[in-house]
C-alpha cells in the first residue's frame, strides 16, 4: 500500500473530509435496475461530496480515504482532485477493490427507488488508525466525518472513535449522523451513532433519522435533549427548515431558519450540500442565522441538478440572498440553473 504522494508534515487546511467514495452508475433512463440497459458513470460519497463543494467554493480541503489500486480508484482520485481537493493522502490498496454502486433514477423517498451496493470488502472498509494517513487527517481546522464510515467495518469504527477522542490539538470535529439502516449488520448502529455524535463538536442530524435511529419524537428540542454535548447541533427538519442549537455561547432556544422553495430535480446529495454550505459559513465566521441560510442555499444547488454533486453558488450571490429580510427569503424560489444566474437574483426574490 502506498499513498499517492504523502507529506512528512502535512499542510494545515480548512477542512479534512474522511470517508469512502464510490463510483456511481446512474441509469440513462427511468426504470428498474433489471430493465435499464445502460448507465452513466459518476462518483458518490457523503464526505467527498462535502470536500468537492467546499473546494469549489475556494476553501482548502483534503480528502483522506483508501481506494483500490484499480481504474475505478484512479477515477475517484482524479475526479475529486479536479475540484481542487488535496488527494495526496489517499492510500491505494492492491488487495481490495474500489466500491461501486448502481441506483435507479427515481427519488430515494419512493418505494420504487433501488440501490445496489458493491462495497463489502472495499479498500475503504480497511480504514483504521494504521491504515490511513493519520497526521493528514488531523491537520485541518475542521475534520468532517459521517456515520456511514462507522458502519463499514470494525476497523472503520475504531478509526472514528480514535479521531473523536478528546486530546490536545484535536480539530473541530463535524459529524453528520447519516443513519443508513441497511449498512448496519446488527442492532448496535443506533447506539454507535449516538456515541459518536456525543463526542463531536458539530453535529448534523435529520429529525426523521433521529426518530428512526433513536426513537426521538417531539421536534428539535427533543433531539437537543438527547444530544446536549455537541457545542453546535443542527437539526434538519426536511422541507420545513433547520434549527441550530449552540451557535453562540449560552444561546437557547435554537435558531430556526425556514427552507427555501425549490423546483427539485433530484434529492441526492442535498444533505451533504447543506453541511458544506454550513461549514463554509462557519469557517468564514458568519453568525448562526447566516450559517443556516447558506446551508439551505447550497442544498438548493444540489436539489436542482440530477447528480450527487453541484457547483456551489458564488459567494457574493449567496451572501446577497442570505442577507434578505424574512419576507423576501420566504418568497425566494430557486430552480435549475439558479447558481449561474446571478443577474436574476432580484427577479427570483419577487417570484411568489
Amino acid at each position: 500500500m502506498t499513498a499517492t504522494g504523502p507529506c512528512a508534515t502535512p499542510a494545515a487546511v480548512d477542512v479534512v473530509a474522511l470517508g469512502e467514495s464510490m463510483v456511481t452508475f446512474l441509469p440513462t433512463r427511468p426504470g428498474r435496475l433489471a430493465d435499464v440497459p445502460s448507465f452513466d458513470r459518476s462518483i458518490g460519497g457523503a464526505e467527498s461530496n462535502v470536500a468537492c463543494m467546499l473546494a469549489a467554493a475556494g476553501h482548502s480541503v483534503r480528502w483522506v480515504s483508501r481506494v483500490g489500486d484499480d481504474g475505478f480508484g484512479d477515477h475517484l482520485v482524479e475526479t475529486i482532485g479536479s475540484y481542487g481537493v488535496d488527494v495526496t493522502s489517499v492510500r491505494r490498496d492492491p488487495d481490495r477493490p474500489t466500491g461501486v454502486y448502481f441506483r435507479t433514477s427515481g427519488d430515494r423517498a419512493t418505494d420504487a427507488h433501488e440501490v445496489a451496493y458493491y462495497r463489502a470488502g472495499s479498500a475503504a472498509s480497511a480504514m483504521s488508525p494504521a491504515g490511513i494517513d493519520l497526521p493528514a487527517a488531523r491537520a485541518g481546522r475542521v475534520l468532517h466525518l459521517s456515520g456511514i464510515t462507522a458502519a463499514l467495518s470494525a476497523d472503520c469504527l475504531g478509526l472514528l472513535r480514535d479521531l473523536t477522542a478528546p486530546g490536545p490539538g484535536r480539530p473541530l470535529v463535524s459529524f453528520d449522523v447519516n443513519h443508513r439502516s441497511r449498512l448496519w449488520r446488527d442492532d448496535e448502529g443506533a447506539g454507535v451513532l449516538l456515541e459518536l455524535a456525543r463526542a463531536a463538536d458539530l453535529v448534523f442530524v435529520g429529525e426523521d433519522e433521529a426518530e428512526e435511529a433513536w426513537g426521538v419524537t417531539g421536534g428539535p428540542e427533543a433531539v437537543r435533549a438527547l444530544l446536549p454535548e455537541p457545542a453546535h447541533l443542527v437539526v434538519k427538519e426536511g422541507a420545513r427548515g433547520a434549527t441550530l442549537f449552540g451557535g453562540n455561547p449560552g444561546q437557547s432556544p435554537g435558531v430556526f431558519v425556514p427552507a427555501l422553495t425549490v423546483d427539485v430535480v433530484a434529492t441526492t446529495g442535498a444533505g451533504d450540500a447543506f453541511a458544506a454550505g454550513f461549514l463554509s459559513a462557519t469557517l468564514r465566521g458568519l453568525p448562526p442565522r447566516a450559517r443556516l441560510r447558506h446551508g439551505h442555499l447550497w442544498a438548493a444547488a444540489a436539489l436542482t441538478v440530477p447528480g450527487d454533486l453541484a457547483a456551489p453558488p458564488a459567494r457574493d450571490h449567496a451572501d446577497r440572498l442570505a442577507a434578505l429580510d424574512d419576507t423576501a427569503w420566504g418568497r425566494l424560489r430557486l430552480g435549475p440553473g439558479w447558481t449561474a444566474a446571478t443577474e436574476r437574483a432580484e427577479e427570483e426574490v419577487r417570484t411568489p
Side-chain angles (χ1 to χ4, degrees), residues 21 74 88 106 122 143-144 149 159 169 195-196 210 224 238 249 260 287 316 333 340:
S21 190
D74 293 341
T88 58
S122 70
L143 172 59
H144 183 68
T149 303
L159 173 61
E195 169 200 338
L196 294 171
R224 182 54 163 172
L260 293 160
D316 60 345
R333 180 169 184 165

Side-chain angles (χ1 to χ4, degrees), residues 34-341:
D35 301 327
V36 174
S38 59
F39 297 80
D40 291 326
R41 185 181 63 176
S42 183
I43 67 170
E47 301 85 0
S48 59
N49 287 347
V50 171
C52 290
M53 290 195 76
L54 284 169
H59 295 284
S60 57
V61 187
R62 174 180 298 121
W63 178 50
V64 175
S65 190
R66 292 169 62 91
V67 299
D69 190 13
D70 50 33
F72 287 150
D74 293 341
H75 177 64
L76 285 175
V77 171
E78 291 165 8
T79 302
I80 294 169
S82 72
Y83 283 84
V85 177
D86 174 6
V87 294
T88 58
S89 296
V90 177
R91 292 193 173 178
R92 308 301 293 264
D93 191 323
D95 301 317
R96 299 176 180 86
T98 302
V100 301
Y101 76 96
F102 297 77
R103 67 174 175 85
T104 51
S105 59
D107 192 317
R108 280 181 175 172
T110 70
D111 292 336
H113 183 70
E114 298 175 75
V115 180
Y117 288 106
Y118 298 91
R119 72 195 310 176
S122 70
S125 70
M127 288 189 293
S128 68
I132 65 155
D133 189 342
L134 201 56
R138 290 179 166 143
R141 293 171 59 189
V142 175
L143 172 59
H144 183 68
L145 308 168
S146 95
I148 294 172
T149 303
L152 298 181
S153 68
D155 281 343
C156 285
L157 174 55
L159 173 61
L160 261 60
R161 283 174 168 155
D162 185 274
L163 291 171
T164 57
R170 189 184 94 158
L172 185 148
V173 174
S174 166
F175 181 69
D176 193 334
V177 171
N178 263 328
H179 178 239
R180 301 286 187 269
S181 58
R182 287 187 296 177
L183 290 180
W184 292 95
R185 295 167 297 280
D186 49 41
D187 297 330
E188 296 180 359
V192 167
L193 294 175
L194 187 60
E195 169 200 338
L196 294 171
R198 286 174 168 166
D201 303 298
L202 165 60
V203 173
F204 299 95
V205 63
E207 189 177 23
D208 55 346
E209 63 182 343
E211 180 176 0
E212 181 183 2
W214 304 317
V216 177
T217 59
E221 291 75 15
V223 181
R224 182 54 163 172
L226 181 70
L227 286 170
E229 296 88 355
H232 311 271
L233 172 66
V234 178
V235 182
K236 297 176 290 183
E237 303 168 58
R240 181 170 178 267
T243 299
L244 168 63
F245 295 95
N248 286 327
Q251 179 180 322
S252 182
V255 173
F256 172 77
V257 171
L260 293 160
T261 301
V262 179
D263 296 328
V264 176
V265 174
T267 59
T268 307
D272 303 329
F274 182 98
F278 186 95
L279 288 173
S280 176
T282 300
L283 289 163
R284 295 170 58 201
L286 299 184
R289 179 186 179 88
R291 297 180 194 184
L292 289 171
R293 284 194 168 189
H294 278 271
H296 287 315
L297 287 164
W298 286 42
L303 288 167
T304 50
V305 299
D308 283 24
L309 273 170
R315 182 172 292 184
D316 60 345
H317 188 192
D319 284 345
R320 189 162 60 250
L321 296 180
L324 294 171
D325 62 39
D326 289 346
T327 300
W329 177 263
R331 292 202 310 263
L332 191 61
R333 180 169 184 165
L334 302 174
W338 74 270
T339 57

